[in-house]
Coordinates of all heavy atoms in Angstrom, one line a residue:
M251 N 98.5 79.3 93.2 CA 99.4 79.9 92.3 C 100.6 80.4 93.0 O 101.7 80.2 92.5 CB 98.7 81.0 91.6 CG 99.5 81.5 90.4 SD 99.7 80.3 89.1 CE 98.8 81.0 87.8
R252 N 100.4 81.0 94.2 CA 101.6 81.5 94.9 C 102.5 80.4 95.3 O 103.8 80.5 95.1 CB 101.1 82.2 96.1 CG 102.2 82.8 97.0 CD 101.6 83.4 98.3 NE 101.2 82.5 99.3 CZ 102.0 81.9 100.1 NH1 103.3 82.1 100.1 NH2 101.6 81.0 101.0
K253 N 102.0 79.3 95.8 CA 102.8 78.2 96.2 C 103.5 77.5 95.1 O 104.6 77.1 95.1 CB 102.0 77.2 97.1 CG 101.6 77.7 98.4 CD 100.9 76.7 99.2 CE 100.5 77.3 100.6 NZ 99.8 76.3 101.4
K254 N 102.7 77.4 94.0 CA 103.2 76.7 92.8 C 104.5 77.4 92.3 O 105.5 76.8 91.9 CB 102.2 76.7 91.7 CG 102.6 76.0 90.4 CD 101.5 76.0 89.4 CE 102.0 75.5 88.1 NZ 100.9 75.6 87.0
H255 N 104.5 78.7 92.3 CA 105.6 79.5 91.7 C 106.5 80.0 92.8 O 107.5 80.7 92.5 CB 105.0 80.7 90.9 CG 104.3 80.2 89.7 ND1 104.9 79.7 88.5 CD2 103.0 80.1 89.4 CE1 104.1 79.3 87.7 NE2 102.8 79.6 88.2
N256 N 106.2 79.7 94.1 CA 107.1 80.1 95.2 C 107.4 81.6 95.2 O 108.5 82.0 95.2 CB 108.4 79.3 95.2 CG 109.1 79.4 96.5 OD1 108.5 79.7 97.5 ND2 110.4 79.4 96.4
V257 N 106.3 82.4 95.1 CA 106.4 83.8 95.2 C 105.7 84.4 96.4 O 104.7 83.8 96.9 CB 105.8 84.5 93.9 CG1 106.6 84.2 92.7 CG2 104.4 84.2 93.8
P258 N 106.2 85.5 97.0 CA 105.6 86.0 98.2 C 104.3 86.7 97.9 O 104.0 87.1 96.7 CB 106.6 87.0 98.7 CG 107.4 87.4 97.5 CD 107.4 86.2 96.6
I259 N 103.5 86.8 98.9 CA 102.2 87.6 98.7 C 102.2 88.8 99.6 O 102.8 88.7 100.7 CB 101.0 86.7 99.0 CG1 99.7 87.4 98.7 CG2 101.0 86.2 100.5 CD1 98.5 86.5 98.7
W260 N 101.7 89.9 99.1 CA 101.7 91.1 99.9 C 100.3 91.7 99.9 O 99.6 91.8 98.9 CB 102.7 92.1 99.3 CG 102.6 93.4 99.9 CD1 103.0 93.8 101.2 CD2 102.2 94.7 99.4 NE1 102.8 95.1 101.5 CE2 102.3 95.7 100.3 CE3 101.7 95.0 98.1 CZ2 102.0 97.0 100.1 CZ3 101.3 96.3 97.9 CH2 101.5 97.3 98.9
V261 N 99.8 92.1 101.1 CA 98.5 92.7 101.3 C 98.8 94.1 101.7 O 99.4 94.3 102.8 CB 97.7 91.9 102.3 CG1 96.3 92.6 102.5 CG2 97.6 90.5 102.0
G262 N 98.3 95.1 101.0 CA 98.5 96.5 101.3 C 97.2 97.2 101.3 O 96.2 96.8 100.9
E263 N 97.3 98.4 101.8 CA 96.1 99.3 101.9 C 94.9 98.7 102.6 O 93.8 98.7 102.0 CB 95.7 99.7 100.4 CG 96.8 100.6 99.7 CD 96.9 102.0 100.3 OE1 95.9 102.6 100.7 OE2 98.0 102.4 100.5
F264 N 95.1 98.4 103.8 CA 94.0 97.9 104.6 C 94.2 98.5 106.0 O 95.2 99.0 106.3 CB 94.0 96.3 104.7 CG 95.0 95.8 105.6 CD1 94.7 95.5 106.9 CD2 96.3 95.5 105.1 CE1 95.7 95.0 107.8 CE2 97.3 95.0 106.0 CZ 97.0 94.8 107.3
G265 N 93.2 98.4 106.8 CA 93.3 98.9 108.1 C 91.9 99.2 108.7 O 90.9 98.8 108.2
S266 N 91.9 99.9 109.8 CA 90.7 100.3 110.5 C 90.7 101.8 110.6 O 91.7 102.4 110.8 CB 90.7 99.6 111.9 OG 89.5 99.9 112.5
V267 N 89.5 102.3 110.5 CA 89.3 103.7 110.7 C 89.0 104.0 112.2 O 88.1 103.3 112.8 CB 88.1 104.2 109.8 CG1 87.8 105.7 110.1 CG2 88.4 104.0 108.4
Y268 N 89.7 104.9 112.8 CA 89.5 105.2 114.2 C 88.8 106.4 114.6 O 88.6 106.7 115.7 CB 90.9 105.3 114.8 CG 91.8 104.1 114.5 CD1 92.9 104.2 113.7 CD2 91.5 102.8 115.0 CE1 93.7 103.1 113.4 CE2 92.2 101.7 114.7 CZ 93.3 101.8 113.9 OH 94.1 100.7 113.6
N269 N 88.3 107.2 113.6 CA 87.5 108.4 114.0 C 86.0 108.2 113.7 O 85.3 109.2 113.6 CB 88.1 109.6 113.2 CG 87.7 109.6 111.8 OD1 87.3 108.6 111.2 ND2 87.8 110.8 111.2
G270 N 85.6 107.0 113.6 CA 84.1 106.8 113.5 C 83.5 106.8 114.9 O 84.0 107.4 115.8
V271 N 82.4 106.1 115.0 CA 81.6 106.1 116.3 C 82.6 105.4 117.3 O 83.1 104.3 117.1 CB 80.4 105.2 116.1 CG1 79.6 105.2 117.4 CG2 79.5 105.8 115.0
A272 N 82.7 106.1 118.4 CA 83.7 105.7 119.5 C 83.4 104.3 120.0 O 84.3 103.5 120.3 CB 83.7 106.7 120.6
T273 N 82.1 103.9 120.1 CA 81.8 102.6 120.6 C 82.1 101.5 119.7 O 82.2 100.3 120.1 CB 80.2 102.5 120.9 OG1 79.5 102.8 119.7 CG2 79.8 103.5 122.0
E274 N 82.5 101.8 118.4 CA 82.9 100.8 117.4 C 84.4 100.6 117.4 O 84.8 99.6 116.8 CB 82.4 101.2 116.0 CG 81.0 101.3 115.8 CD 80.6 101.8 114.4 OE1 81.5 102.1 113.6 OE2 79.4 101.8 114.1
I275 N 85.1 101.4 118.0 CA 86.6 101.3 118.0 C 87.1 99.9 118.5 O 87.9 99.3 117.8 CB 87.3 102.4 118.7 CG1 87.1 103.7 117.9 CG2 88.8 102.2 118.9 CD1 87.6 104.9 118.6
P276 N 86.6 99.4 119.6 CA 87.1 98.0 120.0 C 86.7 96.9 119.0 O 87.6 96.1 118.7 CB 86.3 97.8 121.3 CG 85.9 99.1 121.9 CD 85.7 100.0 120.6
D277 N 85.6 97.1 118.3 CA 85.2 96.1 117.3 C 86.2 96.2 116.1 O 86.6 95.3 115.5 CB 83.8 96.3 116.8 CG 82.8 96.0 117.9 OD1 83.1 95.1 118.8 OD2 81.7 96.6 118.0
R278 N 86.5 97.4 115.7 CA 87.4 97.7 114.6 C 88.8 97.1 114.9 O 89.4 96.6 114.0 CB 87.5 99.2 114.3 CG 86.2 99.8 113.8 CD 86.3 101.3 113.6 NE 85.0 101.9 113.2 CZ 84.6 102.0 112.0 NH1 85.4 101.6 111.0 NH2 83.5 102.6 111.7
L279 N 89.2 97.3 116.1 CA 90.5 96.8 116.5 C 90.6 95.3 116.5 O 91.6 94.7 116.1 CB 91.0 97.4 117.9 CG 91.3 98.9 117.9 CD1 91.5 99.4 119.3 CD2 92.4 99.2 117.0
R280 N 89.5 94.7 117.0 CA 89.4 93.2 116.9 C 89.4 92.7 115.5 O 90.1 91.7 115.2 CB 88.2 92.7 117.6 CG 88.4 92.5 119.2 CD 87.2 91.8 119.8 NE 85.9 92.4 119.6 CZ 85.5 93.4 120.3 NH1 86.2 93.9 121.3 NH2 84.3 93.9 120.1
A281 N 88.7 93.4 114.6 CA 88.7 93.0 113.2 C 90.1 93.1 112.6 O 90.5 92.2 111.8 CB 87.7 93.9 112.4
L282 N 90.8 94.2 112.9 CA 92.1 94.4 112.4 C 93.1 93.3 112.9 O 93.8 92.7 112.2 CB 92.7 95.8 112.9 CG 94.1 96.1 112.4 CD1 94.2 96.1 110.9 CD2 94.5 97.5 112.9
D283 N 92.9 92.9 114.2 CA 93.7 91.8 114.8 C 93.4 90.5 114.1 O 94.3 89.7 113.8 CB 93.4 91.7 116.3 CG 94.4 90.9 117.0 OD1 95.6 91.0 116.8 OD2 93.9 90.0 117.8
D284 N 92.2 90.3 113.8 CA 91.8 89.0 113.1 C 92.4 89.0 111.7 O 92.9 88.0 111.2 CB 90.3 88.9 113.0 CG 89.6 88.6 114.3 OD1 90.3 88.2 115.2 OD2 88.3 88.8 114.4
Q285 N 92.4 90.2 111.0 CA 93.0 90.2 109.7 C 94.5 89.9 109.8 O 95.0 89.1 109.0 CB 92.9 91.6 109.1 CG 91.5 92.0 108.5 CD 91.5 93.4 108.0 OE1 91.8 94.4 108.7 NE2 91.2 93.5 106.7
L286 N 95.2 90.5 110.7 CA 96.6 90.3 110.8 C 96.9 88.8 111.2 O 97.9 88.2 110.6 CB 97.2 91.2 111.9 CG 97.2 92.7 111.6 CD1 97.7 93.4 112.8 CD2 97.9 93.0 110.3
D287 N 96.1 88.2 112.0 CA 96.2 86.7 112.2 C 96.1 85.9 111.0 O 97.0 85.0 110.7 CB 95.1 86.2 113.2 CG 95.4 86.7 114.7 OD1 96.6 87.1 114.9 OD2 94.5 86.6 115.5
V288 N 95.2 86.2 110.1 CA 95.0 85.5 108.9 C 96.2 85.7 108.0 O 96.8 84.7 107.4 CB 93.7 85.9 108.1 CG1 93.7 85.4 106.7 CG2 92.5 85.5 108.9
F289 N 96.7 86.9 107.9 CA 97.9 87.2 107.0 C 99.1 86.5 107.5 O 99.9 85.9 106.7 CB 98.1 88.7 106.9 CG 97.0 89.5 106.4 CD1 96.8 90.9 106.7 CD2 96.1 89.0 105.5 CE1 95.8 91.6 106.2 CE2 95.0 89.7 105.0 CZ 94.9 91.0 105.3
E290 N 99.3 86.5 108.8 CA 100.4 85.9 109.4 C 100.4 84.4 109.2 O 101.4 83.7 108.9 CB 100.5 86.2 111.0 CG 100.8 87.6 111.2 CD 102.2 88.1 110.8 OE1 103.2 87.3 110.9 OE2 102.4 89.2 110.4
E291 N 99.2 83.7 109.4 CA 99.1 82.3 109.2 C 99.4 81.9 107.8 O 99.9 80.8 107.5 CB 97.7 81.9 109.6 CG 97.5 81.9 111.1 CD 96.0 81.6 111.5 OE1 95.3 81.0 110.7 OE2 95.6 81.9 112.6
A292 N 99.0 82.8 106.8 CA 99.2 82.5 105.4 C 100.6 82.9 104.9 O 101.0 82.6 103.8 CB 98.2 83.3 104.6
G293 N 101.4 83.5 105.9 CA 102.8 83.8 105.5 C 102.8 85.0 104.6 O 103.7 85.3 103.8
A294 N 101.7 85.9 104.6 CA 101.6 87.0 103.8 C 102.4 88.2 104.4 O 102.3 88.4 105.6 CB 100.2 87.4 103.5
H295 N 103.0 89.0 103.6 CA 103.5 90.3 104.0 C 102.4 91.3 104.0 O 101.5 91.2 103.2 CB 104.7 90.7 103.1 CG 105.8 89.7 103.0 ND1 106.8 89.6 103.9 CD2 105.9 88.6 102.2 CE1 107.6 88.6 103.6 NE2 107.1 88.0 102.5
W296 N 102.5 92.3 104.8 CA 101.4 93.2 104.9 C 101.9 94.6 105.3 O 102.9 94.8 105.9 CB 100.2 92.8 105.8 CG 100.7 92.5 107.2 CD1 101.1 91.2 107.6 CD2 100.8 93.3 108.3 NE1 101.4 91.3 108.9 CE2 101.3 92.6 109.4 CE3 100.6 94.7 108.5 CZ2 101.5 93.1 110.6 CZ3 100.9 95.2 109.7 CH2 101.3 94.4 110.8
T297 N 101.1 95.6 104.9 CA 101.3 97.0 105.2 C 99.9 97.7 105.4 O 99.1 97.6 104.6 CB 102.0 97.8 104.0 OG1 103.2 97.1 103.7 CG2 102.3 99.2 104.4
T298 N 99.8 98.3 106.5 CA 98.5 99.0 106.8 C 98.6 100.4 106.2 O 99.6 100.9 105.8 CB 98.2 99.1 108.3 OG1 99.2 99.9 108.9 CG2 98.2 97.8 109.0
W299 N 97.5 101.1 106.2 CA 97.4 102.4 105.6 C 97.5 103.5 106.7 O 97.1 104.6 106.5 CB 96.1 102.6 104.9 CG 94.9 102.4 105.7 CD1 94.7 102.4 107.0 CD2 93.6 102.0 105.1 NE1 93.4 102.1 107.4 CE2 92.7 101.9 106.2 CE3 93.1 101.9 103.9 CZ2 91.4 101.6 106.0 CZ3 91.8 101.6 103.7 CH2 90.9 101.4 104.8
T300 N 98.2 103.2 107.8 CA 98.2 104.2 108.9 C 99.0 105.4 108.6 O 99.0 106.4 109.3 CB 98.9 103.5 110.2 OG1 100.2 103.1 109.8 CG2 98.0 102.4 110.6
Y301 N 99.7 105.5 107.5 CA 100.5 106.6 107.2 C 99.7 107.8 106.6 O 100.2 108.9 106.5 CB 101.6 106.3 106.1 CG 101.0 105.8 104.8 CD1 100.6 106.7 103.9 CD2 100.8 104.4 104.6 CE1 100.0 106.2 102.7 CE2 100.2 104.0 103.5 CZ 99.8 104.9 102.5 OH 99.2 104.4 101.3
K302 N 98.4 107.6 106.3 CA 97.7 108.5 105.6 C 97.2 109.7 106.4 O 97.4 110.9 106.1 CB 96.5 107.9 104.9 CG 96.9 107.0 103.7 CD 95.6 106.5 103.0 CE 96.1 105.8 101.8 NZ 94.9 105.2 101.1
D303 N 96.4 109.5 107.4 CA 95.7 110.6 108.1 C 95.9 110.5 109.6 O 95.4 109.5 110.2 CB 94.2 110.7 107.7 CG 94.0 111.2 106.4 OD1 94.5 112.3 106.1 OD2 93.2 110.6 105.6
V304 N 96.4 111.5 110.2 CA 96.5 111.6 111.7 C 95.1 111.7 112.2 O 94.3 112.5 111.7 CB 97.4 112.8 112.1 CG1 97.3 112.9 113.6 CG2 98.8 112.6 111.6
G305 N 94.7 110.9 113.2 CA 93.4 111.0 113.8 C 92.3 110.2 113.0 O 91.2 110.3 113.4
V306 N 92.7 109.6 111.9 CA 91.7 108.9 111.1 C 92.0 107.4 111.1 O 91.2 106.6 111.5 CB 91.6 109.4 109.7 CG1 90.5 108.6 108.9 CG2 91.2 110.9 109.7
M307 N 93.2 107.1 110.6 CA 93.6 105.7 110.5 C 94.9 105.4 111.1 O 95.5 104.4 110.9 CB 93.7 105.3 109.0 CG 92.3 105.4 108.3 SD 92.4 105.0 106.6 CE 93.2 106.5 105.9
G308 N 95.5 106.4 111.8 CA 96.8 106.2 112.4 C 96.7 105.5 113.7 O 95.7 105.7 114.5
W309 N 97.7 104.8 114.1 CA 97.8 104.1 115.4 C 98.2 105.0 116.5 O 98.1 104.7 117.7 CB 98.7 102.9 115.3 CG 98.2 101.8 114.5 CD1 97.0 101.6 113.9 CD2 99.0 100.6 114.1 NE1 97.0 100.4 113.2 CE2 98.1 99.8 113.3 CE3 100.3 100.2 114.4 CZ2 98.6 98.6 112.9 CZ3 100.7 99.0 113.9 CH2 99.8 98.2 113.1
V310 N 98.6 106.2 116.1 CA 99.1 107.1 117.1 C 98.2 108.3 117.2 O 97.7 108.8 116.3 CB 100.5 107.7 116.7 CG1 101.0 108.7 117.7 CG2 101.5 106.6 116.6
A311 N 97.8 108.7 118.4 CA 97.0 109.9 118.7 C 97.8 111.0 119.1 O 98.7 110.9 120.0 CB 95.9 109.5 119.7
L312 N 97.7 112.1 118.5 CA 98.4 113.3 118.8 C 97.6 114.3 119.6 O 96.4 114.4 119.5 CB 98.9 114.0 117.5 CG 99.8 113.2 116.6 CD1 100.1 114.1 115.3 CD2 101.1 112.8 117.2
D313 N 98.3 115.0 120.5 CA 97.7 116.1 121.3 C 97.2 117.1 120.3 O 98.0 117.7 119.5 CB 98.7 116.7 122.2 CG 98.2 117.8 123.1 OD1 97.1 118.4 122.7 OD2 98.8 118.1 124.1
P314 N 95.9 117.5 120.3 CA 95.4 118.5 119.4 C 96.1 119.8 119.5 O 96.0 120.6 118.5 CB 93.9 118.7 119.9 CG 93.6 117.4 120.7 CD 94.9 117.0 121.3
E315 N 96.8 120.1 120.5 CA 97.5 121.3 120.7 C 99.0 121.3 120.3 O 99.7 122.2 120.3 CB 97.5 121.8 122.1 CG 96.0 122.1 122.6 CD 95.3 123.1 121.8 OE1 95.8 124.1 121.4 OE2 94.1 122.8 121.5
C316 N 99.4 120.1 119.8 CA 100.8 119.9 119.4 C 101.2 120.8 118.2 O 100.3 121.2 117.4 CB 101.2 118.5 119.2 SG 100.6 117.8 117.6
E317 N 102.4 121.1 118.1 CA 102.9 122.0 117.0 C 102.6 121.4 115.6 O 102.2 122.2 114.8 CB 104.5 122.2 117.1 CG 105.0 123.1 116.1 CD 106.5 123.2 116.2 OE1 107.1 122.7 117.1 OE2 107.1 123.9 115.3
Y318 N 102.7 120.1 115.4 CA 102.4 119.6 114.1 C 101.0 119.8 113.7 O 100.7 120.3 112.6 CB 102.8 118.1 114.1 CG 102.4 117.4 112.8 CD1 103.1 117.6 111.6 CD2 101.2 116.6 112.8 CE1 102.7 117.0 110.4 CE2 100.9 115.9 111.6 CZ 101.6 116.2 110.4 OH 101.2 115.6 109.3
L319 N 100.1 119.5 114.5 CA 98.6 119.7 114.2 C 98.3 121.1 114.1 O 97.4 121.5 113.2 CB 97.7 119.0 115.2 CG 97.8 117.5 115.2 CD1 96.8 116.9 116.2 CD2 97.5 116.9 113.8
Q320 N 98.9 122.0 114.8 CA 98.7 123.4 114.6 C 99.2 123.9 113.3 O 98.6 124.7 112.6 CB 99.4 124.2 115.8 CG 98.9 124.0 117.2 CD 97.4 124.2 117.3 OE1 96.9 125.2 116.8 NE2 96.7 123.3 117.8
R321 N 100.3 123.3 112.8 CA 100.9 123.7 111.5 C 100.0 123.3 110.4 O 99.9 123.9 109.4 CB 102.3 123.1 111.3 CG 103.4 123.8 112.1 CD 104.7 123.2 111.8 NE 105.7 123.8 112.6 CZ 106.7 124.6 112.0 NH1 106.7 124.8 110.7 NH2 107.6 125.2 112.8
I322 N 99.4 122.1 110.5 CA 98.6 121.6 109.4 C 97.1 121.9 109.6 O 96.3 121.5 108.8 CB 98.8 120.1 109.2 CG1 98.2 119.3 110.4 CG2 100.3 119.8 108.9 CD1 98.2 117.8 110.1
A323 N 96.7 122.7 110.6 CA 95.3 123.0 110.8 C 94.6 123.6 109.6 O 93.5 123.2 109.3 CB 95.2 123.9 112.1
R324 N 95.2 124.5 108.9 CA 94.6 125.2 107.8 C 94.4 124.1 106.7 O 93.3 124.2 106.0 CB 95.5 126.3 107.2 CG 95.5 127.5 108.1 CD 96.3 128.7 107.6 NE 96.3 128.8 106.1 CZ 97.5 129.1 105.4 NH1 98.6 129.4 106.1 NH2 97.4 129.2 104.1
I325 N 95.3 123.3 106.5 CA 95.2 122.2 105.5 C 94.0 121.3 105.8 O 93.2 120.9 105.0 CB 96.5 121.4 105.3 CG1 97.6 122.4 104.8 CG2 96.3 120.2 104.4 CD1 99.0 121.8 104.9
E326 N 94.0 120.9 107.1 CA 92.9 120.0 107.5 C 91.5 120.6 107.4 O 90.6 120.0 107.0 CB 93.1 119.6 109.0 CG 94.3 118.7 109.2 CD 94.1 117.3 108.5 OE1 93.1 116.7 108.7 OE2 95.0 117.0 107.7
R327 N 91.4 121.9 107.7 CA 90.2 122.7 107.5 C 89.8 122.7 106.0 O 88.6 122.5 105.6 CB 90.2 124.1 108.0 CG 90.0 124.2 109.5 CD 89.8 125.6 110.0 NE 90.9 126.5 109.7 CZ 92.0 126.5 110.5 NH1 92.1 125.8 111.6 NH2 93.0 127.4 110.2
A328 N 90.8 123.0 105.1 CA 90.5 123.0 103.7 C 90.1 121.6 103.2 O 89.2 121.5 102.4 CB 91.8 123.4 102.9
K329 N 90.7 120.5 103.7 CA 90.3 119.2 103.3 C 88.9 119.0 103.7 O 88.1 118.4 102.9 CB 91.2 118.2 104.0 CG 92.6 118.0 103.3 CD 93.5 117.1 104.1 CE 92.9 115.7 104.4 NZ 93.8 114.8 105.1
L330 N 88.5 119.4 104.9 CA 87.1 119.2 105.3 C 86.1 120.0 104.4 O 85.1 119.5 104.0 CB 87.0 119.6 106.8 CG 85.6 119.4 107.4 CD1 85.2 118.0 107.4 CD2 85.6 120.0 108.8
I331 N 86.4 121.3 104.2 CA 85.6 122.1 103.4 C 85.4 121.6 101.9 O 84.4 121.6 101.4 CB 86.1 123.6 103.4 CG1 85.9 124.2 104.8 CG2 85.4 124.4 102.3 CD1 86.7 125.5 105.0
L332 N 86.6 121.2 101.4 CA 86.6 120.7 100.0 C 86.2 119.2 99.8 O 86.1 118.7 98.7 CB 87.9 120.9 99.4 CG 88.4 122.4 99.2 CD1 89.8 122.5 98.8 CD2 87.4 123.1 98.3
D333 N 85.9 118.6 100.9 CA 85.5 117.2 100.9 C 86.4 116.2 100.2 O 86.1 115.3 99.5 CB 84.1 117.1 100.2 CG 83.3 115.8 100.6 OD1 83.6 115.2 101.7 OD2 82.5 115.4 99.8
T334 N 87.7 116.5 100.5 CA 88.7 115.6 99.8 C 88.8 114.2 100.4 O 89.2 113.3 99.8 CB 90.1 116.3 99.9 OG1 90.5 116.4 101.3 CG2 90.2 117.6 99.2
D335 N 88.3 114.1 101.6 CA 88.2 112.8 102.2 C 86.8 112.2 102.1 O 86.2 111.8 103.0 CB 88.6 112.8 103.7 CG 90.1 113.1 103.9 OD1 90.9 112.6 103.0 OD2 90.5 113.7 104.9
F336 N 86.3 112.2 100.9 CA 84.9 111.9 100.6 C 84.6 110.5 101.0 O 83.4 110.1 101.1 CB 84.6 112.1 99.1 CG 85.4 111.3 98.2 CD1 85.0 110.0 97.8 CD2 86.6 111.7 97.7 CE1 85.8 109.2 97.0 CE2 87.4 111.0 96.9 CZ 87.0 109.7 96.5
W337 N 85.6 109.6 101.1 CA 85.4 108.2 101.6 C 84.9 108.1 103.0 O 84.4 107.1 103.4 CB 86.6 107.4 101.3 CG 87.8 108.0 102.0 CD1 88.7 108.9 101.5 CD2 88.2 107.8 103.4 NE1 89.6 109.3 102.5 CE2 89.4 108.6 103.6 CE3 87.8 107.0 104.4 CZ2 90.0 108.6 104.8 CZ3 88.4 107.0 105.6 CH2 89.5 107.8 105.8
M338 N 85.0 109.2 103.8 CA 84.5 109.1 105.2 C 83.1 109.5 105.3 O 82.7 110.6 105.7 CB 85.4 110.0 106.0 CG 86.9 109.5 106.1 SD 87.9 110.3 107.4 CE 88.0 111.9 106.8
Q339 N 82.2 108.7 104.8 CA 80.8 109.0 104.6 C 80.1 109.2 106.0 O 79.0 109.7 106.0 CB 80.1 107.9 103.8 CG 80.6 107.8 102.4 CD 80.4 109.1 101.6 OE1 79.4 109.7 101.7 NE2 81.4 109.5 100.8
W340 N 80.6 108.7 107.0 CA 80.0 108.9 108.3 C 80.1 110.3 108.9 O 79.4 110.6 109.8 CB 80.5 107.9 109.4 CG 82.0 108.0 109.6 CD1 82.6 108.8 110.5 CD2 83.1 107.5 108.8 NE1 84.0 108.8 110.4 CE2 84.3 108.0 109.4 CE3 83.1 106.6 107.8 CZ2 85.5 107.5 108.9 CZ3 84.3 106.2 107.3 CH2 85.5 106.7 107.8
L341 N 81.0 111.1 108.3 CA 81.1 112.5 108.7 C 80.0 113.3 108.1 O 79.5 113.0 107.0 CB 82.4 113.1 108.3 CG 83.7 112.4 109.0 CD1 84.9 113.0 108.5 CD2 83.6 112.6 110.5
P342 N 79.6 114.4 108.8 CA 78.5 115.3 108.2 C 79.0 115.8 106.8 O 80.2 116.1 106.6 CB 78.4 116.4 109.1 CG 79.0 115.9 110.4 CD 80.0 114.9 110.0
A343 N 78.1 115.8 105.8 CA 78.4 116.3 104.5 C 78.7 117.8 104.5 O 77.9 118.6 105.0 CB 77.3 116.0 103.5
P344 N 79.9 118.2 103.9 CA 80.2 119.6 103.8 C 79.3 120.2 102.7 O 78.8 119.5 101.8 CB 81.6 119.6 103.5 CG 81.9 118.3 102.9 CD 81.0 117.3 103.5
T345 N 79.2 121.5 102.7 CA 78.4 122.3 101.7 C 78.9 122.0 100.3 O 78.1 121.8 99.4 CB 78.6 123.8 102.0 OG1 78.2 124.0 103.4 CG2 77.7 124.6 101.1
I346 N 80.2 121.8 100.1 CA 80.7 121.6 98.8 C 80.1 120.3 98.1 O 79.9 120.3 96.9 CB 82.2 121.5 98.8 CG1 82.8 121.6 97.3 CG2 82.8 120.3 99.4 CD1 83.1 123.0 96.9
R347 N 79.9 119.3 98.9 CA 79.3 118.1 98.4 C 78.0 118.3 97.7 O 77.7 117.9 96.6 CB 79.2 117.0 99.4 CG 78.9 115.6 98.8 CD 78.8 114.5 99.8 NE 80.0 114.4 100.6 CZ 80.1 113.8 101.8 NH1 79.0 113.2 102.4 NH2 81.2 113.7 102.4
G348 N 77.1 119.1 98.4 CA 75.8 119.4 97.8 C 76.0 120.3 96.6 O 75.2 120.1 95.6
M349 N 76.9 121.2 96.6 CA 77.2 122.0 95.4 C 77.6 121.2 94.2 O 77.2 121.4 93.1 CB 78.2 123.1 95.7 CG 77.7 124.1 96.7 SD 79.0 125.2 97.4 CE 79.5 126.0 95.9
V350 N 78.4 120.2 94.5 CA 79.0 119.4 93.4 C 77.9 118.5 92.8 O 77.7 118.3 91.6 CB 80.2 118.5 93.9 CG1 80.5 117.5 92.8 CG2 81.3 119.4 94.2
Q351 N 77.0 117.9 93.8 CA 76.0 117.0 93.3 C 74.9 117.8 92.6 O 74.3 117.4 91.7 CB 75.4 116.3 94.5 CG 76.3 115.3 95.1 CD 75.8 114.7 96.4 OE1 74.8 115.1 97.0 NE2 76.5 113.6 96.8

């Protein structure tokens, strides 16, 4: 259909999670590289989700003592307590999840 109508294709909201089991990170990076190869070969435009969470899906690692992370520390703690990142099932379940269930 894309070729028939000569329209571009865009793949968004994909990527690799980097705060899982440390031994899995090389595999996750290889999988991401394979995805990008497929997209490039198909001529697809793409955008990863790295903009969302520092230390989770971002390509950049920040010093835990940096000013930015210090400023958002309260927010990050609240997110953890309130289980707002519920999609990260590999993390220990916070108390709130049990209360909600």
